[in-house]
Amino acid sequence: MGLRERKKEKTRLAILDAALDLFLEQGYESTTVEQIAGAVEISPRTFFRYFNSKDHLALWHHEHGEEIMLETLASRPEDESPFTALMSAMRAVVGDLEGSTPEDRARFLKLRRLMEDHPRLVGMSVARGAATERRLIEVIAARRGVDPDEDMLTPLIVAFAACTLRVGFECPRRDSGLPEITQRMAETIELAERSLRPGWDR
């Protein structure tokens, strides 16, 4: 990463950190783009160079996770079963969380607290997750050689795989730390794999 790219990444993270703190301090709905920009000493115009909207910022983890999953799927063997390939993609997301910096872990936990306190964000997160699932359906349908608009099995494969991360993310205790959450995610993935007979996704 060159100097220009490092500077841009530093600004992006500063915006994200300021926004998460403001969201938790004064509420998501009460926080404006202008306030976020002011906290980082940038203009609203500069804010929009990094994030399309306040909602886009609040759902940054979806975009990051989707990128990891799509990159992982692209690297998997073509003859690998669809569900196995998807489980590898899910494990890559968990591995990314496990290998994250202390700062990234703090952001993740702040975001989780934010979701718990603001039901509207939960609805937005579900909608964004559905968009990711549609992209995954297209990829898996291509691997299986079927039409994503006609085939019924492909959406079921993707939905079942995606719910493993949701179950893990929704750790029962509010004060759960990242190690507990990632462990629950990993255990859920293993449980899902054990629960299905070989070849069901062909």
Side-chain angles (χ1 to χ4, degrees):
M1 186 181 293
L3 179 61
R4 181 180 178 85
E5 288 74 21
R6 288 199 299 271
K7 185 177 180 180
K8 288 178 64 176
E9 179 66 4
K10 183 178 179 179
T11 301
R12 187 186 73 84
L13 292 176
I15 294 171
L16 184 58
D17 288 338
L20 289 173
D21 287 341
L22 285 170
F23 292 158
L24 291 171
E25 288 171 8
Q26 62 186 32
Y28 180 77
E29 300 295 347
S30 300
T31 301
T32 66
V33 168
E34 289 74 18
Q35 289 174 326
I36 298 170
V40 192
E41 298 183 345
I42 60 173
S43 67
R45 182 176 180 180
T46 299
F47 172 95
F48 288 116
R49 292 177 186 168
Y50 293 87
F51 298 98
N52 297 333
S53 64
K54 187 173 70 172
D55 292 349
H56 178 208
L57 186 153
L59 299 176
W60 64 274
H61 65 297
H62 277 289
E63 189 169 305
H64 181 62
E66 179 181 300
E67 182 179 340
I68 292 172
M69 287 187 282
L70 292 176
E71 288 179 354
T72 302
L73 283 173
S75 71
R76 303 304 300 173
E78 292 184 6
D79 61 348
E80 187 173 55
S81 75
F83 189 71
T84 299
L86 276 170
M87 288 295 95
S88 294
M90 301 301 163
R91 282 195 170 93
V93 173
V94 175
D96 181 74
L97 285 171
E98 291 175 332
S100 60
T101 65
E103 293 79 12
D104 280 338
R105 293 174 191 174
R107 293 179 187 110
F108 179 84
L109 293 176
K110 285 180 181 179
L111 182 63
R112 190 167 180 268
R113 284 173 52 202
L114 186 67
M115 291 288 176
E116 292 174 342
D117 293 338
H118 296 81
R120 177 174 174 269
L121 282 179
V122 175
M124 289 166 45
S125 180
V126 170
R128 182 62 181 82
T132 293
E133 289 188 30
R134 286 194 293 272
R135 293 184 178 92
L136 293 175
I137 286 170
E138 293 175 0
V139 173
I140 295 302
R143 290 177 69 96
R144 299 184 64 236
V146 298
D147 185 340
D149 295 324
E150 299 291 337
D151 181 64
M152 293 181 63
L153 180 57
T154 297
L156 287 174
I157 294 171
V158 171
F160 194 65
C163 79
T164 60
L165 288 190
R166 285 199 296 272
V167 170
F169 181 76
E170 295 166 0
C171 215
R173 284 177 41 212
R174 180 183 174 88
D175 61 345
S176 297
L178 190 58
E180 293 171 281
I181 296 172
T182 54
Q183 180 181 352
R184 182 179 168 94
M185 287 178 170
E187 290 174 350
T188 307
I189 289 172
E190 292 178 6
L191 177 61
E193 290 175 323
R194 294 199 308 267
S195 300
L196 299 169
R197 58 180 172 77
W200 76 276
D201 56 340
R202 294 294 189 178

